[in-house]
Amino acid sequence: MLLKTFGWSFAVTAIGLVAAVFYGGWTGFGVVAILSILEISLSFDNAVVNAGILKKMNAFWQKIFLTVGVLIAVFGMRLVFPVVIVAISAQLNPIDAVDLALTDKDQYQQYVTDAHPAIAAFGGMFLLMIFLDFIFEDRDIKWLAWLERPLAKLGKVDMLSVCIALIVLLISSMTFAAHAHQHGGTHVDKAETVLLAGIAGLITYLAVGGLSSYFEDKLEEEEEREHEAEEQAKRSGKQQSAVLLAGKAAFFMFLYLEVLDASFSFDGVIGAFAITNDIVLMALGLGIGAMYVRSLTVYLVRQGTLDDYVYLEHGAHYAIGALAVILLVTIQYEINEVITGLVGVVLIAASFWSSVRRNKRLAEAEGSTEGSGKAEVSSGV
């Protein structure tokens, strides 16, 4: 079961890591490994959401999402999108950006370094909004309750996350952007660039969130109509046109999943810029991670166990928040790639360990309850 589900992911991992060694030596191997782990950890909640929706779809639409969808996710978002970001930021033709990245790494590195303040501001705001919207939502399950409980109460204030993000952007433009790091170790004033790029990142997040909400509403409408049609068919004793309704609902599910998948892909791609500017290593690492997300989605659908490690989603979002802060700091200061990657890995590992301990406590409590129940029965007899 495990090999059947994760077989392609294992194969892609082996090929990707070998390619990383040939391309960038053991440093490249380490960067690709960290990027893969980061992508998997950041997209775990994506796999959970995908699995929750996919299990409602028939086998045909599941196959469409897991084939066409993964092609879009891997080749579209993980390979093309990083090049587009660099091309726009450095004002280059996308083809020229790819050519430079492969043939003249020094020149490409200069373009990327000079464009980094804009990339960092855009990505920092996008990631920060993901983190803030998560942390301000009142959730039944809380990992760091002492922190999340009061923040959930603050989250009842409308548009609080947007206000905080804009304040952070303003402070960043007045501090880090005033002495932005450029190629050659020089520092220039990039306040205006950081402000514009940060606002663009905020708008992008709101637009993607709006589209996701739109498709989610459409999906709910289709499900309600299908339920009403089923009830009406039962009352009249007629055969209903279930295929058409199921097809429309599944189509909206597919569109919703694609938009949602794209929105989750943003954090991995943007976060990768905090670790490396090399698009080859970035593509290898994110591609491996995307394959595991696909396999994990299939595994969760087949096994039906989505809630075993309840704190992983929290850990992933804390990692997103940490990456957002790191990106904004790197506008002025350089931070080692390994340190950046390990921050996310440590947070994910901590949330995983907390989940394991929680499951153990629940199992022990359930065992003790059953034991006391049996003792009461035997004593009564």
Side-chain angles (χ1 to χ4, degrees):
M1 171 65 181
L2 189 66
L3 184 61
K4 182 179 179 181
T5 304
F6 289 90
W8 278 105
S9 297
F10 294 152
V12 170
T13 301
I15 295 171
L17 291 176
V18 169
V21 173
F22 278 103
Y23 176 78
W26 290 109
T27 301
F29 176 92
V31 170
V32 169
I34 288 174
L35 281 173
S36 302
I37 295 171
L38 182 67
E39 174 68 11
I40 295 168
S41 63
L42 291 180
S43 299
F44 181 84
D45 51 351
N46 187 12
V48 172
V49 173
N50 287 350
I53 299 175
L54 274 177
K55 66 183 181 182
K56 301 177 183 177
M57 301 168 70
N58 60 32
F60 171 78
W61 282 101
Q62 286 185 10
K63 189 174 182 180
I64 289 293
F65 178 75
L66 297 174
T67 51
V68 177
V70 79
L71 288 175
I72 296 173
V74 174
F75 294 101
M77 292 304 300
R78 271 75 173 188
L79 299 182
V80 177
F81 185 60
V83 175
V84 172
I85 289 179
V86 173
I88 293 174
S89 301
Q91 298 181 348
L92 290 174
N93 183 293
I95 297 176
D96 293 337
V98 174
D99 183 60
L100 271 178
L102 298 176
T103 60
D104 191 349
K105 293 183 181 178
D106 291 336
Q107 183 67 28
Y108 175 80
Q109 181 70 25
Q110 179 178 343
Y111 277 121
V112 172
T113 302
D114 292 344
H116 182 74
I119 295 173
F122 178 92
M125 284 300 100
F126 187 91
L127 295 180
L128 185 61
M129 283 298 300
I130 293 176
F131 170 70
L132 291 175
D133 277 351
F134 177 86
I135 203 67
F136 284 138
E137 184 177 345
D138 190 8
R139 299 176 179 276
D140 294 333
I141 296 175
K142 295 176 174 62
W143 181 28
L144 305 177
W146 58 270
L147 175 64
E148 295 172 14
R149 191 172 288 114
L151 289 176
K153 293 180 180 178
L154 287 175
K156 296 178 181 179
V157 178
D158 289 339
M159 304 301 290
L160 180 62
S161 57
V162 176
C163 292
I164 292 177
L166 288 173
I167 291 171
V168 171
L169 177 60
L170 184 61
I171 294 173
S172 299
S173 66
M174 295 171 63
T175 54
F176 302 130
H179 302 88
H181 177 75
Q182 293 288 273
H183 183 74
T186 61
H187 292 83
V188 296
D189 187 353
K190 288 274 188 174
E192 183 179 350
T193 300
V194 167
L195 273 175
L196 291 174
I199 291 173
L202 183 61
I203 292 172
T204 301
Y205 173 82
L206 295 174
V208 170
L211 285 173
S212 297
S213 298
Y214 171 78
F215 285 125
E216 189 173 14
D217 291 341
K218 282 289 185 181
L219 175 60
E220 290 176 357
E221 290 176 7
E222 288 298 324
E223 288 178 341
E224 288 178 3
R225 290 174 185 171
E226 185 173 358
H227 179 70
E228 290 176 0
E230 288 176 356
E231 293 296 325
Q232 186 175 357
K234 288 179 181 179
R235 288 193 297 268
S236 61
K238 296 179 180 179
Q239 191 73 20
Q240 64 166 342
S241 177
V243 176
L244 178 61
L245 289 170
K248 288 174 68 177
F251 177 68
F252 280 121
M253 282 185 186
F254 178 75
L255 292 179
Y256 171 57
L257 277 173
E258 287 303 311
V259 174
L260 195 64
D261 200 50
S263 67
F264 277 105
S265 301
F266 274 114
D267 56 17
V269 173
I270 295 301
F273 277 103
I275 297 174
T276 182
N277 289 326
D278 193 315
I279 62 169
V280 175
L281 296 179
M282 192 182 298
L284 288 173
L286 295 180
I288 291 172
M291 285 301 299
Y292 276 99
V293 172
R294 183 259 188 195
S295 297
L296 184 60
T297 301
V298 176
Y299 181 80
L300 291 174
V301 170
R302 291 174 178 172
Q303 293 295 108
T305 54
L306 300 179
D307 302 318
D308 286 347
Y309 305 104
V310 295
Y311 298 138
L312 275 177
E313 186 178 7
H314 295 73
H317 280 85
Y318 280 110
I320 289 173
L323 281 177
V325 173
I326 288 172
L327 276 171
L328 294 175
V329 172
T330 57
I331 293 175
Q332 181 177 355
Y333 302 102
E334 291 188 72
I335 297 178
N336 189 277
E337 298 167 347
V338 177
I339 294 175
T340 304
L342 286 178
V343 169
V345 174
V346 168
L347 286 168
I348 293 297
S351 64
F352 174 78
W353 177 243
S354 296
S355 299
V356 171
R357 291 176 60 191
R358 174 185 181 272
N359 293 343
K360 186 177 180 180
R361 286 196 304 269
L362 291 176
E364 290 175 352
E366 184 177 346
S368 63
T369 302
E370 290 178 357
S372 64
K374 290 180 181 179
E376 287 175 5
V377 171
S378 60
S379 62
V381 174

